Coordinates of all heavy atoms in Angstrom, one line a residue:
M1 N 46.1 -85.5 -68.4 CA 44.9 -85.9 -67.7 C 44.4 -87.3 -68.3 O 44.3 -87.4 -69.6 CB 43.8 -84.9 -67.9 CG 42.9 -84.7 -66.7 SD 41.4 -83.8 -67.1 CE 41.5 -82.3 -66.3
S2 N 44.1 -88.2 -67.5 CA 43.6 -89.5 -68.0 C 42.2 -89.4 -68.5 O 41.5 -88.5 -68.3 CB 43.7 -90.6 -66.9 OG 42.7 -90.4 -66.0
L3 N 41.8 -90.4 -69.2 CA 40.4 -90.5 -69.8 C 39.4 -90.4 -68.6 O 38.4 -89.7 -68.7 CB 40.2 -91.8 -70.6 CG 38.8 -91.9 -71.2 CD1 38.5 -90.8 -72.2 CD2 38.7 -93.3 -72.0
D4 N 39.6 -91.2 -67.6 CA 38.7 -91.2 -66.4 C 38.6 -89.8 -65.8 O 37.5 -89.3 -65.4 CB 39.1 -92.2 -65.4 CG 38.8 -93.6 -65.8 OD1 37.9 -93.8 -66.6 OD2 39.4 -94.6 -65.3
E5 N 39.8 -89.1 -65.7 CA 39.8 -87.8 -65.1 C 39.0 -86.8 -65.9 O 38.2 -86.0 -65.4 CB 41.2 -87.3 -64.9 CG 41.9 -88.0 -63.8 CD 43.4 -87.7 -63.7 OE1 44.0 -87.3 -64.8 OE2 44.0 -87.8 -62.6
K6 N 39.2 -86.9 -67.3 CA 38.4 -86.0 -68.2 C 36.9 -86.3 -68.1 O 36.1 -85.4 -68.2 CB 38.9 -86.2 -69.6 CG 40.3 -85.6 -69.9 CD 40.7 -85.9 -71.3 CE 42.1 -85.5 -71.6 NZ 42.5 -85.8 -73.0
F7 N 36.6 -87.6 -68.0 CA 35.2 -88.0 -67.9 C 34.6 -87.4 -66.7 O 33.5 -86.9 -66.7 CB 35.1 -89.5 -68.0 CG 33.7 -90.1 -67.8 CD1 32.8 -90.0 -68.8 CD2 33.3 -90.6 -66.6 CE1 31.5 -90.5 -68.7 CE2 32.0 -91.1 -66.4 CZ 31.1 -91.0 -67.5
N8 N 35.2 -87.6 -65.6 CA 34.7 -87.1 -64.3 C 34.6 -85.5 -64.3 O 33.6 -85.0 -63.8 CB 35.6 -87.5 -63.1 CG 35.5 -89.0 -62.9 OD1 34.4 -89.6 -63.2 ND2 36.5 -89.6 -62.3
A9 N 35.5 -84.9 -64.9 CA 35.5 -83.4 -65.1 C 34.3 -83.0 -65.9 O 33.6 -82.0 -65.6 CB 36.8 -82.9 -65.6
S10 N 34.0 -83.8 -67.0 CA 32.9 -83.5 -67.9 C 31.6 -83.7 -67.1 O 30.6 -83.0 -67.3 CB 32.9 -84.3 -69.1 OG 34.0 -84.0 -69.9
A11 N 31.5 -84.8 -66.3 CA 30.3 -85.1 -65.5 C 30.0 -83.9 -64.6 O 28.8 -83.6 -64.4 CB 30.4 -86.4 -64.8
E12 N 31.0 -83.3 -64.0 CA 30.9 -82.2 -63.1 C 30.4 -80.9 -63.9 O 29.6 -80.1 -63.4 CB 32.1 -81.9 -62.3 CG 32.4 -83.0 -61.3 CD 31.3 -83.1 -60.3 OE1 30.8 -82.1 -59.8 OE2 30.9 -84.3 -60.0
K13 N 31.0 -80.8 -65.1 CA 30.7 -79.6 -65.9 C 29.2 -79.6 -66.3 O 28.6 -78.5 -66.3 CB 31.6 -79.6 -67.2 CG 31.4 -78.4 -68.0 CD 32.3 -78.5 -69.3 CE 33.5 -77.7 -69.1 NZ 34.3 -77.5 -70.3
V14 N 28.6 -80.8 -66.6 CA 27.2 -80.8 -66.9 C 26.4 -80.2 -65.8 O 25.4 -79.5 -66.1 CB 26.8 -82.3 -67.2 CG1 25.3 -82.4 -67.3 CG2 27.4 -82.8 -68.5
K15 N 26.8 -80.4 -64.6 CA 26.0 -79.9 -63.5 C 26.0 -78.4 -63.4 O 25.2 -77.8 -62.7 CB 26.5 -80.5 -62.2 CG 26.4 -82.0 -62.1 CD 27.0 -82.5 -60.8 CE 27.0 -84.1 -60.8 NZ 27.7 -84.6 -59.6
T16 N 27.0 -77.7 -64.1 CA 27.1 -76.3 -64.0 C 26.4 -75.6 -65.2 O 26.5 -74.4 -65.3 CB 28.6 -75.9 -64.0 OG1 29.2 -76.2 -65.3 CG2 29.3 -76.5 -62.9
F17 N 25.8 -76.3 -66.1 CA 25.1 -75.7 -67.2 C 24.0 -74.7 -66.7 O 23.3 -75.1 -65.7 CB 24.4 -76.8 -68.1 CG 25.3 -77.5 -69.0 CD1 26.6 -77.3 -69.0 CD2 24.7 -78.5 -69.9 CE1 27.5 -78.1 -69.9 CE2 25.5 -79.2 -70.7 CZ 26.9 -79.0 -70.7
T18 N 24.0 -73.5 -67.2 CA 23.1 -72.5 -66.7 C 21.7 -72.6 -67.5 O 20.7 -72.0 -67.0 CB 23.7 -71.1 -66.9 OG1 24.0 -70.9 -68.2 CG2 24.9 -70.9 -66.0
K19 N 21.7 -73.2 -68.6 CA 20.5 -73.4 -69.4 C 20.3 -74.9 -69.6 O 21.2 -75.7 -69.6 CB 20.6 -72.8 -70.8 CG 20.8 -71.3 -70.8 CD 20.9 -70.7 -72.2 CE 21.3 -69.3 -72.2 NZ 21.9 -68.9 -73.4
R20 N 19.0 -75.3 -69.7 CA 18.7 -76.7 -69.9 C 18.8 -77.1 -71.3 O 18.3 -76.6 -72.2 CB 17.2 -76.9 -69.5 CG 16.8 -78.4 -69.4 CD 15.3 -78.4 -69.0 NE 14.9 -79.8 -68.8 CZ 14.5 -80.6 -69.8 NH1 14.5 -80.2 -71.1 NH2 14.1 -81.9 -69.6
P21 N 19.6 -78.2 -71.6 CA 19.8 -78.8 -72.9 C 18.4 -79.3 -73.4 O 17.5 -79.5 -72.6 CB 20.8 -79.9 -72.7 CG 21.5 -79.5 -71.5 CD 20.5 -78.9 -70.6
T22 N 18.3 -79.5 -74.7 CA 17.1 -80.1 -75.3 C 16.9 -81.5 -74.7 O 17.8 -82.1 -74.2 CB 17.1 -80.2 -76.8 OG1 18.2 -81.1 -77.2 CG2 17.4 -78.8 -77.4
D23 N 15.7 -82.0 -74.9 CA 15.4 -83.4 -74.4 C 16.3 -84.4 -75.1 O 16.8 -85.3 -74.5 CB 13.9 -83.7 -74.6 CG 13.0 -83.0 -73.7 OD1 13.5 -82.5 -72.7 OD2 11.8 -83.0 -74.0
E24 N 16.5 -84.2 -76.4 CA 17.4 -85.2 -77.2 C 18.8 -85.1 -76.7 O 19.5 -86.1 -76.5 CB 17.3 -84.9 -78.7 CG 18.0 -85.9 -79.5 CD 17.6 -87.3 -79.3 OE1 16.3 -87.6 -79.1 OE2 18.4 -88.2 -79.3
E25 N 19.3 -83.9 -76.4 CA 20.7 -83.8 -75.9 C 20.8 -84.4 -74.5 O 21.8 -85.1 -74.2 CB 21.0 -82.3 -75.8 CG 21.2 -81.7 -77.2 CD 21.3 -80.1 -77.2 OE1 20.8 -79.5 -76.2 OE2 21.8 -79.6 -78.2
L26 N 19.8 -84.2 -73.7 CA 19.8 -84.8 -72.3 C 19.8 -86.3 -72.4 O 20.5 -87.0 -71.6 CB 18.6 -84.3 -71.5 CG 18.6 -82.9 -71.0 CD1 17.3 -82.5 -70.4 CD2 19.7 -82.7 -70.0
L27 N 19.0 -86.9 -73.4 CA 19.0 -88.3 -73.5 C 20.4 -88.8 -74.0 O 20.8 -89.9 -73.5 CB 17.9 -88.7 -74.6 CG 16.5 -88.7 -74.1 CD1 15.5 -89.0 -75.2 CD2 16.3 -89.7 -73.0
Q28 N 21.0 -88.1 -74.8 CA 22.4 -88.5 -75.3 C 23.4 -88.5 -74.1 O 24.2 -89.3 -74.0 CB 22.8 -87.7 -76.5 CG 22.1 -88.0 -77.7 CD 22.1 -89.5 -78.1 OE1 23.2 -90.1 -78.2 NE2 20.9 -90.0 -78.3
I29 N 23.3 -87.4 -73.3 CA 24.2 -87.3 -72.2 C 23.9 -88.5 -71.2 O 24.9 -89.1 -70.8 CB 23.9 -85.9 -71.4 CG1 24.4 -84.8 -72.3 CG2 24.6 -85.9 -70.0 CD1 24.0 -83.4 -71.7
Y30 N 22.7 -88.8 -71.0 CA 22.3 -89.9 -70.1 C 22.8 -91.2 -70.6 O 23.5 -92.0 -69.9 CB 20.8 -89.9 -69.9 CG 20.3 -91.1 -69.2 CD1 20.3 -91.2 -67.8 CD2 19.8 -92.2 -69.9 CE1 19.9 -92.4 -67.1 CE2 19.4 -93.4 -69.2 CZ 19.4 -93.4 -67.8 OH 19.0 -94.6 -67.2
A31 N 22.5 -91.4 -71.9 CA 22.9 -92.7 -72.5 C 24.4 -93.0 -72.5 O 24.9 -94.1 -72.2 CB 22.3 -92.8 -73.9
L32 N 25.2 -91.9 -72.9 CA 26.6 -92.1 -72.9 C 27.2 -92.3 -71.5 O 28.1 -93.1 -71.3 CB 27.3 -90.9 -73.6 CG 27.1 -90.9 -75.1 CD1 27.5 -89.5 -75.7 CD2 27.8 -92.0 -75.8
F33 N 26.6 -91.6 -70.5 CA 27.0 -91.7 -69.1 C 26.8 -93.1 -68.6 O 27.7 -93.7 -68.0 CB 26.3 -90.7 -68.2 CG 26.8 -90.7 -66.8 CD1 27.9 -90.0 -66.4 CD2 26.2 -91.5 -65.8 CE1 28.4 -90.0 -65.1 CE2 26.7 -91.5 -64.5 CZ 27.8 -90.8 -64.2
K34 N 25.6 -93.6 -68.9 CA 25.3 -95.0 -68.4 C 26.1 -96.0 -69.1 O 26.6 -97.0 -68.5 CB 23.8 -95.3 -68.7 CG 22.8 -94.5 -67.8 CD 23.0 -94.8 -66.3 CE 22.1 -96.1 -66.0 NZ 22.1 -96.3 -64.5
Q35 N 26.4 -95.9 -70.4 CA 27.2 -96.8 -71.1 C 28.6 -96.8 -70.6 O 29.3 -97.8 -70.5 CB 27.1 -96.5 -72.7 CG 27.8 -97.6 -73.5 CD 27.0 -98.9 -73.5 OE1 25.9 -98.9 -73.3 NE2 27.7 -99.9 -73.8
A36 N 29.1 -95.6 -70.3 CA 30.5 -95.4 -69.8 C 30.6 -96.0 -68.4 O 31.7 -96.5 -68.1 CB 30.9 -94.0 -69.8
T37 N 29.6 -95.9 -67.6 CA 29.8 -96.3 -66.2 C 29.3 -97.7 -65.9 O 29.8 -98.4 -65.0 CB 29.1 -95.3 -65.2 OG1 27.7 -95.2 -65.6 CG2 29.7 -93.9 -65.3
V38 N 28.2 -98.1 -66.6 CA 27.6 -99.4 -66.4 C 27.9 -100.4 -67.5 O 28.1 -101.6 -67.2 CB 26.1 -99.3 -66.2 CG1 25.4 -100.6 -66.0 CG2 25.7 -98.3 -65.1
G39 N 27.9 -100.0 -68.7 CA 28.1 -100.9 -69.9 C 26.7 -101.1 -70.5 O 25.8 -100.3 -70.4
D40 N 26.6 -102.2 -71.3 CA 25.4 -102.5 -72.0 C 24.1 -102.5 -71.1 O 24.2 -103.0 -70.0 CB 25.5 -103.8 -72.8 CG 26.4 -103.6 -74.0 OD1 26.7 -102.5 -74.4 OD2 26.8 -104.7 -74.5
N41 N 23.0 -102.0 -71.6 CA 21.8 -102.0 -70.8 C 21.2 -103.4 -70.8 O 20.9 -104.0 -71.9 CB 20.8 -101.1 -71.5 CG 19.5 -100.9 -70.8 OD1 19.3 -101.6 -69.8 ND2 18.6 -100.1 -71.3
D42 N 21.1 -104.0 -69.6 CA 20.5 -105.3 -69.5 C 19.3 -105.3 -68.6 O 18.9 -106.3 -68.0 CB 21.5 -106.4 -69.1 CG 22.1 -106.1 -67.7 OD1 21.8 -105.1 -67.1 OD2 22.9 -106.9 -67.3
T43 N 18.8 -104.1 -68.4 CA 17.6 -103.9 -67.5 C 16.3 -104.2 -68.2 O 16.3 -104.1 -69.5 CB 17.6 -102.5 -66.9 OG1 17.4 -101.5 -68.0 CG2 18.8 -102.2 -66.1
E44 N 15.3 -104.4 -67.5 CA 14.0 -104.7 -68.1 C 13.4 -103.4 -68.7 O 13.5 -102.3 -68.1 CB 13.0 -105.3 -67.1 CG 11.8 -105.9 -67.7 CD 11.0 -106.6 -66.6 OE1 11.6 -107.5 -65.9 OE2 9.8 -106.3 -66.5
K45 N 12.7 -103.4 -69.8 CA 12.2 -102.3 -70.5 C 11.0 -101.8 -69.6 O 10.2 -102.5 -69.2 CB 11.7 -102.6 -71.9 CG 11.2 -101.4 -72.6 CD 10.9 -101.7 -74.1 CE 10.6 -100.5 -74.9 NZ 10.4 -100.8 -76.3
P46 N 11.0 -100.4 -69.3 CA 9.9 -99.9 -68.5 C 8.5 -100.1 -69.2 O 8.4 -100.3 -70.4 CB 10.2 -98.4 -68.5 CG 11.7 -98.3 -68.8 CD 11.9 -99.4 -69.7
G47 N 7.5 -100.0 -68.4 CA 6.1 -100.2 -68.9 C 5.6 -99.1 -69.8 O 6.3 -98.0 -69.9
L48 N 4.5 -99.3 -70.5 CA 4.0 -98.4 -71.5 C 3.7 -97.0 -70.9 O 3.8 -96.0 -71.7 CB 2.7 -99.0 -72.0 CG 2.8 -100.2 -73.0 CD1 1.5 -100.7 -73.3 CD2 3.6 -99.8 -74.2
L49 N 3.3 -96.9 -69.7 CA 2.9 -95.6 -69.1 C 4.1 -94.8 -68.6 O 4.0 -93.6 -68.4 CB 1.9 -95.8 -68.0 CG 0.6 -96.5 -68.4 CD1 -0.3 -96.6 -67.2 CD2 -0.1 -95.7 -69.5
D50 N 5.3 -95.4 -68.6 CA 6.5 -94.7 -68.1 C 7.2 -94.1 -69.3 O 8.2 -94.7 -69.8 CB 7.4 -95.6 -67.3 CG 8.6 -95.0 -66.7 OD1 8.8 -93.7 -66.9 OD2 9.4 -95.7 -66.1
L51 N 6.7 -93.0 -69.9 CA 7.3 -92.5 -71.1 C 8.7 -92.0 -70.9 O 9.6 -92.2 -71.8 CB 6.4 -91.3 -71.6 CG 5.0 -91.7 -72.0 CD1 4.2 -90.5 -72.4 CD2 4.9 -92.8 -73.0
K52 N 9.0 -91.3 -69.8 CA 10.4 -90.8 -69.6 C 11.3 -92.0 -69.4 O 12.4 -92.0 -70.0 CB 10.4 -90.0 -68.3 CG 11.7 -89.3 -68.0 CD 11.6 -88.4 -66.8 CE 12.9 -87.8 -66.5 NZ 12.9 -87.0 -65.3
G53 N 10.9 -93.0 -68.7 CA 11.8 -94.2 -68.4 C 12.0 -94.9 -69.7 O 13.2 -95.4 -70.0
K54 N 11.0 -95.0 -70.6 CA 11.2 -95.7 -71.9 C 12.1 -95.0 -72.8 O 13.0 -95.6 -73.4 CB 9.8 -95.9 -72.6 CG 9.1 -97.1 -72.2 CD 7.8 -97.4 -72.9 CE 7.6 -96.7 -74.2 NZ 6.3 -97.0 -74.8
A55 N 12.1 -93.6 -72.8 CA 13.0 -92.8 -73.6 C 14.4 -93.0 -73.2 O 15.3 -93.2 -74.0 CB 12.5 -91.4 -73.6
K56 N 14.6 -93.0 -71.8 CA 16.0 -93.2 -71.3 C 16.5 -94.6 -71.6 O 17.6 -94.8 -72.0 CB 16.0 -92.9 -69.8 CG 15.7 -91.4 -69.5 CD 15.4 -91.1 -68.0 CE 16.7 -91.2 -67.2 NZ 16.4 -90.8 -65.8
W57 N 15.6 -95.6 -71.4 CA 16.0 -97.0 -71.6 C 16.4 -97.1 -73.1 O 17.4 -97.8 -73.4 CB 14.8 -97.9 -71.3 CG 15.1 -99.3 -71.3 CD1 15.6 -100.1 -70.3 CD2 15.0 -100.2 -72.5 NE1 15.8 -101.4 -70.7 CE2 15.4 -101.5 -72.1 CE3 14.6 -100.0 -73.8 CZ2 15.4 -102.6 -72.9 CZ3 14.6 -101.1 -74.6 CH2 15.0 -102.4 -74.2
S58 N 15.6 -96.6 -74.0 CA 15.9 -96.7 -75.5 C 17.2 -96.0 -75.9 O 17.9 -96.6 -76.6 CB 14.7 -96.2 -76.3 OG 13.5 -96.9 -76.1
A59 N 17.4 -94.8 -75.3 CA 18.6 -94.1 -75.7 C 19.8 -94.9 -75.2 O 20.8 -95.0 -75.9 CB 18.6 -92.7 -75.0
W60 N 19.8 -95.5 -74.0 CA 20.9 -96.2 -73.5 C 21.1 -97.5 -74.3 O 22.2 -97.9 -74.7 CB 20.6 -96.5 -72.0 CG 21.7 -97.3 -71.3 CD1 23.0 -97.5 -71.7 CD2 21.6 -97.9 -70.0 NE1 23.7 -98.3 -70.8 CE2 22.9 -98.5 -69.8 CE3 20.6 -98.1 -69.1 CZ2 23.1 -99.3 -68.6 CZ3 20.9 -98.8 -68.0 CH2 22.1 -99.4 -67.7
S61 N 20.0 -98.2 -74.7 CA 20.0 -99.4 -75.4 C 20.7 -99.2 -76.8 O 21.3 -100.1 -77.3 CB 18.7 -100.1 -75.6 OG 18.2 -100.5 -74.3
E62 N 20.5 -98.0 -77.4 CA 21.1 -97.7 -78.7 C 22.6 -97.7 -78.6 O 23.3 -97.9 -79.7 CB 20.6 -96.4 -79.2 CG 19.2 -96.3 -79.6 CD 18.7 -95.0 -79.9 OE1 19.5 -94.0 -80.0 OE2 17.4 -94.8 -80.2
K63 N 23.2 -97.6 -77.5 CA 24.6 -97.6 -77.3 C 25.2 -99.0 -77.1 O 26.4 -99.2 -76.9 CB 25.0 -96.7 -76.1 CG 24.5 -95.3 -76.2 CD 25.0 -94.5 -77.3 CE 24.4 -93.1 -77.4 NZ 24.5 -92.5 -78.7
K64 N 24.4 -100.0 -77.2 CA 24.8 -101.4 -76.9 C 26.0 -101.8 -77.8 O 26.0 -101.5 -79.0 CB 23.6 -102.4 -77.2 CG 23.9 -103.8 -76.7 CD 22.7 -104.6 -76.8 CE 23.1 -106.0 -76.2 NZ 21.9 -106.7 -75.8
G65 N 27.0 -102.4 -77.2 CA 28.2 -102.8 -77.9 C 29.3 -101.8 -77.9 O 30.4 -102.1 -78.2
M66 N 29.0 -100.5 -77.5 CA 30.0 -99.5 -77.4 C 30.8 -99.8 -76.2 O 30.3 -100.0 -75.1 CB 29.4 -98.1 -77.3 CG 30.3 -96.9 -77.2 SD 29.4 -95.4 -77.0 CE 29.5 -94.8 -78.7
S67 N 32.2 -99.7 -76.3 CA 33.0 -99.9 -75.1 C 32.9 -98.8 -74.1 O 32.5 -97.7 -74.5 CB 34.5 -100.1 -75.5 OG 35.0 -98.8 -75.9
K68 N 33.2 -99.1 -72.9 CA 33.1 -98.0 -71.9 C 34.1 -96.9 -72.2 O 33.7 -95.7 -72.0 CB 33.5 -98.6 -70.5 CG 32.4 -99.5 -69.9 CD 32.7 -99.9 -68.5 CE 31.5 -100.7 -67.9 NZ 31.8 -101.0 -66.5
D69 N 35.3 -97.2 -72.7 CA 36.2 -96.1 -73.0 C 35.7 -95.3 -74.2 O 35.8 -94.0 -74.2 CB 37.6 -96.7 -73.3 CG 38.3 -97.1 -72.1 OD1 37.9 -96.7 -71.0 OD2 39.4 -97.8 -72.2
A70 N 35.1 -95.9 -75.2 CA 34.5 -95.2 -76.3 C 33.4 -94.3 -75.9 O 33.2 -93.1 -76.3 CB 34.1 -96.1 -77.4
A71 N 32.6 -94.8 -75.0 CA 31.4 -94.0 -74.4 C 31.9 -92.8 -73.6 O 31.4 -91.7 -73.7 CB 30.5 -94.9 -73.6
K72 N 33.0 -93.0 -72.9 CA 33.6 -91.9 -72.1 C 34.1 -90.8 -73.0 O 33.8 -89.6 -72.8 CB 34.7 -92.4 -71.2 CG 34.3 -93.2 -70.0 CD 35.4 -93.7 -69.2 CE 34.9 -94.6 -68.0 NZ 36.0 -95.1 -67.2
Q73 N 34.8 -91.2 -74.1 CA 35.3 -90.3 -75.0 C 34.2 -89.5 -75.7 O 34.2 -88.3 -75.9 CB 36.2 -91.0 -76.1 CG 36.9 -90.0 -77.0 CD 37.9 -89.0 -76.2 OE1 38.6 -89.4 -75.3 NE2 37.8 -87.8 -76.6
A74 N 33.1 -90.2 -76.1 CA 32.0 -89.6 -76.8 C 31.3 -88.6 -75.8 O 30.8 -87.6 -76.2 CB 31.0 -90.7 -77.3
Y75 N 31.2 -89.0 -74.6 CA 30.6 -88.2 -73.5 C 31.3 -86.9 -73.4 O 30.8 -85.8 -73.3 CB 30.5 -89.0 -72.2 CG 29.9 -88.2 -71.1 CD1 28.5 -88.3 -70.9 CD2 30.6 -87.5 -70.1 CE1 27.9 -87.6 -69.8 CE2 30.0 -86.9 -69.1 CZ 28.7 -86.9 -68.9 OH 28.1 -86.3 -67.9
I76 N 32.7 -87.0 -73.3 CA 33.5 -85.8 -73.1 C 33.3 -84.9 -74.3 O 33.2 -83.7 -74.1 CB 35.0 -86.3 -73.0 CG1 35.2 -87.0 -71.7 CG2 35.9 -85.1 -73.1 CD1 36.5 -87.8 -71.6
E77 N 33.3 -85.4 -75.5 CA 33.2 -84.6 -76.7 C 31.8 -83.9 -76.7 O 31.7 -82.8 -77.1 CB 33.4 -85.4 -77.9 CG 34.9 -85.9 -78.1 CD 35.1 -87.0 -79.1 OE1 34.1 -87.3 -79.9 OE2 36.2 -87.5 -79.2
L78 N 30.8 -84.7 -76.4 CA 29.4 -84.1 -76.4 C 29.3 -83.0 -75.3 O 28.8 -81.9 -75.6 CB 28.4 -85.2 -76.1 CG 26.9 -84.7 -76.0 CD1 26.5 -84.1 -77.3 CD2 26.0 -85.9 -75.6
V79 N 29.8 -83.2 -74.1 CA 29.8 -82.1 -73.1 C 30.5 -80.9 -73.5 O 30.1 -79.8 -73.4 CB 30.3 -82.7 -71.7 CG1 30.5 -81.5 -70.7 CG2 29.3 -83.7 -71.2
E80 N 31.7 -81.1 -74.2 CA 32.5 -79.9 -74.7 C 31.7 -79.2 -75.7 O 31.6 -77.9 -75.7 CB 33.8 -80.4 -75.2 CG 34.8 -80.7 -74.2 CD 35.0 -79.6 -73.1 OE1 35.3 -78.5 -73.5 OE2 34.9 -79.9 -71.9
K81 N 31.0 -79.9 -76.6 CA 30.2 -79.2 -77.7 C 29.0 -78.5 -77.0 O 28.8 -77.3 -77.4 CB 29.7 -80.3 -78.6 CG 28.9 -79.8 -79.8 CD 28.5 -81.0 -80.7 CE 27.1 -80.7 -81.1 NZ 26.4 -81.9 -81.6
L82 N 28.4 -79.1 -76.1 CA 27.2 -78.5 -75.5 C 27.5 -77.3 -74.6 O 26.7 -76.4 -74.4 CB 26.4 -79.5 -74.7 CG 25.7 -80.6 -75.6 CD1 25.0 -81.6 -74.7 CD2 24.8 -80.0 -76.6
S83 N 28.7 -77.4 -74.0 CA 29.1 -76.3 -73.0 C 29.2 -75.0 -73.6 O 28.9 -73.9 -73.0 CB 30.4 -76.7 -72.2 OG 31.4 -76.7 -73.1
A84 N 29.4 -74.9 -74.9 CA 29.5 -73.6 -75.6 C 28.1 -73.0 -75.6 O 28.0 -71.7 -75.6 CB 30.0 -73.8 -77.1
S85 N 27.0 -73.8 -75.7 CA 25.7 -73.3 -75.7 C 25.0 -73.1 -74.3 O 24.2 -72.2 -74.2 CB 24.8 -74.2 -76.5 OG 25.3 -74.4 -77.8
Y86 N 25.4 -73.9 -73.4 CA 24.7 -73.9 -72.1 C 25.5 -73.4 -70.9 O 24.9 -73.5 -69.8 CB 24.2 -75.3 -71.9 CG 23.3 -75.8 -73.0 CD1 23.6 -76.8 -73.8 CD2 22.1 -75.2 -73.2 CE1 22.8 -77.2 -74.8 CE2 21.2 -75.6 -74.2 CZ 21.6 -76.6 -75.0 OH 20.8 -77.0 -76.0
L87 N 26.7 -72.9 -71.1 CA 27.4 -72.4 -69.9 C 27.3 -70.9 -69.9 O 27.2 -70.2 -70.9 CB 28.9 -72.8 -69.9 CG 29.1 -74.2 -69.3 CD1 30.6 -74.5 -69.4 CD2 28.7 -74.2 -67.8

């Protein structure tokens, strides 16, 4: 299975979680997914009142400089680790 196939399978597996991961885990899932699919965050930082948007923006920005392939691999590993607790 190629890296892209494993990544896509992991993205589908997240949707099957029966329990909700913690907020921090969700932010890491989001940040790695965005880094793997889009690359470095070059969007404008959300406003002060958008707390959820700011948290997501910050988590993604922390991954700056990580290659898409490295982000895909990290995403796959994180989903595998979390699936033991949430499936």
